[in-house]
Amino acid sequence: MSLLYSVRKHAETDERGRVVALIFSIIDRYLFREAAAASFAVFLVLFVVLAANRSIDYLADAAGGEIPAEAVAVLMGLQVLRYLGVVVPAALFIGMVLAMGRLYRDSELPVLAACGVGPALITRGLAYLAVPVAVLVFVLSVYVAPWASYQADVYSEQAARDVDLGAFQAGQFVGGGDIGTLYAGDSAGEGELREVFVYVQDADREVIVRADRAVQDYRPETGDRYLVFGDGYRYDGKAGQRDWTVTRFERHGLLVDTREAVDVERDREGTATAELIGSDHLADIAEVHWRLSMPAMVIVLTVLAVPLAKAEPRDGRYGKLLSAVLVYVAYFQLLTTGHEWLEEGRTPAELGLLWVHVAALLAALAWTRYRFGGLWPVRRSGSLGN
């Protein structure tokens, strides 16, 4: 059942005074449903892009043997939680613009405007969606993001200590760290490598090991990691000299890494908001204002979406998409600049980033007045709004 049909049906059965209140209730629910559906679709797209972008780096680390393959999913999930506070406002804003753009294209909002439904009432309907989302973003930015940032650092350190030979890809040279250079021609599964070649720089001498197979022996109590070779040769010497020592072995262990467990220090992004609030450091104050800016941005973007989405019936369905992206980028960039100014002391700490939101809100109200002639349109004689 369409919105206008529902309004007409109730208008025929109820008293006129009650109809107006009922119309607005129906409009609120209709705008909520349309904006929520569009915003959720945009969120899914942005979520996939964010997850794919974050997973690329971790997959590269796993392929290079820096972290175990099973750690990729956990680290990716923590990083997604870290950035959801920025993604959700963007998804909501773009979704609102797309939803209302469709309503303008189908002439639904112009008809409602003729009945006295102005931008203030449209904003009210969108606010039923924006306010809960702002609360969600507040929780994500103030509590979840710092926790996820710190947990990602802790888990990365733990994963780097627990990495095993199963993370190495057979047929590829892997270099870096104390292990020097490692190559395995084949893998037998369960962490065992075949046709292994290892090069290690030991002080002013070089060590080369060639073996038929190798497994890792990790000792968590000390953090030592050994490569245990079977059936091979070890060559010790110095480049350019002839005093190389060749040793044949059936079993040989080589210490390739000593990584003791360390306490991961919290950086500013991983510090709890309650701890930052009591700080006098400008960078800490700027971080607090940045986190609080995300839910505030949700409310301001909702007001901005109303004049931005206004379109003519012949405009394309996605005609306002580029404009919405540009508006969001400009707003976010202004917040970023304000954050840098606050860190450098160019703006008062008491003012924080409030000036950015106030400026954006005033611009939204001025834009609304320009596009609609005011928040409450003049109702025509004989219309439903009288």
Side-chain angles (χ1 to χ4, degrees):
M1 183 181 296
S2 67
L3 174 64
L4 297 179
Y5 178 76
S6 300
V7 171
R8 189 183 306 112
K9 180 178 179 181
H10 287 288
E12 293 174 353
T13 56
D14 294 342
E15 297 179 1
R16 187 168 185 175
R18 298 176 58 188
V19 170
V20 175
L22 185 59
I23 288 174
F24 293 142
S25 176
I26 295 173
I27 292 172
D28 292 338
R29 294 196 301 269
Y30 187 69
L31 290 175
F32 177 93
R33 184 171 65 250
E34 292 293 319
S39 299
F40 183 71
V42 175
F43 171 76
L44 290 180
V45 174
L46 295 180
F47 179 84
V48 171
V49 172
L50 173 63
N53 181 63
R54 299 308 307 173
S55 64
I56 290 175
D57 294 335
Y58 291 126
L59 288 174
D61 292 340
E66 298 182 21
I67 60 174
E70 57 270 18
V72 173
V74 177
L75 290 172
M76 185 182 68
L78 289 172
Q79 291 296 337
V80 168
L81 286 176
R82 181 181 175 184
Y83 292 104
L84 275 183
V86 178
V87 173
V88 171
L92 179 69
F93 177 59
I94 296 175
M96 285 181 173
V97 172
L98 290 178
M100 288 190 294
R102 186 195 68 79
L103 296 180
Y104 273 110
R105 186 198 62 180
D106 295 342
S107 301
E108 295 188 45
L109 285 181
V111 171
L112 291 176
C115 299
V117 179
L121 295 177
I122 296 175
T123 305
R124 188 187 73 176
L126 297 177
Y128 284 106
L129 175 62
V131 171
V133 171
V135 174
L136 173 63
V137 172
F138 176 84
V139 174
L140 289 172
S141 299
V142 175
Y143 299 104
V144 177
W147 173 85
S149 178
Y150 177 67
Q151 292 300 321
D153 293 339
V154 173
Y155 195 84
S156 296
E157 173 65 23
Q158 180 67 32
R161 286 190 286 109
D162 295 343
V163 66
D164 56 25
L165 286 180
F168 296 109
Q169 299 295 320
Q172 296 181 359
F173 282 94
V174 177
D178 296 332
I179 195 174
T181 302
L182 169 68
Y183 174 85
D186 194 9
S187 174
E190 299 182 357
E192 180 177 337
L193 299 179
R194 298 289 180 85
E195 302 175 11
V196 183
F197 169 88
V198 174
Y199 169 83
V200 180
Q201 183 74 34
D202 184 13
D204 60 343
R205 299 182 65 84
E206 301 176 22
V207 177
I208 299 175
V209 177
R210 181 175 59 86
D212 292 341
R213 60 187 179 274
V215 295
Q216 180 178 237
D217 181 13
Y218 175 67
R219 302 179 182 181
E221 64 277 3
T222 61
D224 294 340
R225 186 187 303 128
Y226 294 85
L227 284 180
V228 181
F229 303 95
D231 296 330
Y233 294 87
R234 170 170 173 156
Y235 305 87
D236 295 81
K238 188 175 182 180
Q241 298 185 2
R242 306 177 65 179
D243 58 341
W244 283 75
T245 301
V246 180
T247 305
R248 188 183 187 283
F249 58 82
E250 294 183 359
R251 180 180 174 87
H252 175 59
L254 179 65
L255 178 64
V256 295
D257 192 14
T258 301
R259 189 191 298 261
E260 298 180 357
V262 296
D263 294 331
V264 179
E265 295 184 2
R266 290 180 181 267
D267 57 10
R268 186 167 291 107
E269 292 185 2
T271 303
T273 305
E275 297 180 19
L276 295 178
I277 291 178
S279 174
D280 295 330
H281 198 279
L282 286 177
D284 295 338
I285 296 174
E287 180 66 22
V288 173
H289 283 280
W290 174 264
R291 296 177 186 179
L292 295 177
S293 291
M294 296 301 105
M297 184 168 61
V298 171
I299 303 301
V300 178
L301 286 175
T302 301
V303 181
L304 273 168
V306 176
L308 176 62
K310 186 178 181 182
E312 301 300 328
R314 293 184 179 180
D315 289 347
R317 182 172 184 176
Y318 304 102
K320 297 295 183 178
L321 178 59
L322 179 59
S323 299
V325 173
L326 293 177
V327 168
Y328 178 82
V329 170
Y331 193 173
F332 191 84
Q333 184 60 43
L334 192 59
L335 281 175
T336 303
T337 302
H339 180 263
E340 294 176 355
W341 288 353
L342 190 56
E343 283 185 328
E344 298 170 358
R346 297 186 183 182
T347 55
E350 297 78 9
L351 182 61
L353 297 177
L354 181 62
W355 63 273
V356 179
H357 303 294
V358 172
L361 183 60
L362 292 177
L365 294 176
W367 196 2
T368 301
R369 183 177 180 84
Y370 172 76
R371 297 299 303 271
F372 295 92
L375 296 179
W376 300 89
V378 178
R379 296 173 181 173
R380 298 179 178 86
S381 175
S383 67
L384 264 173
N386 283 344

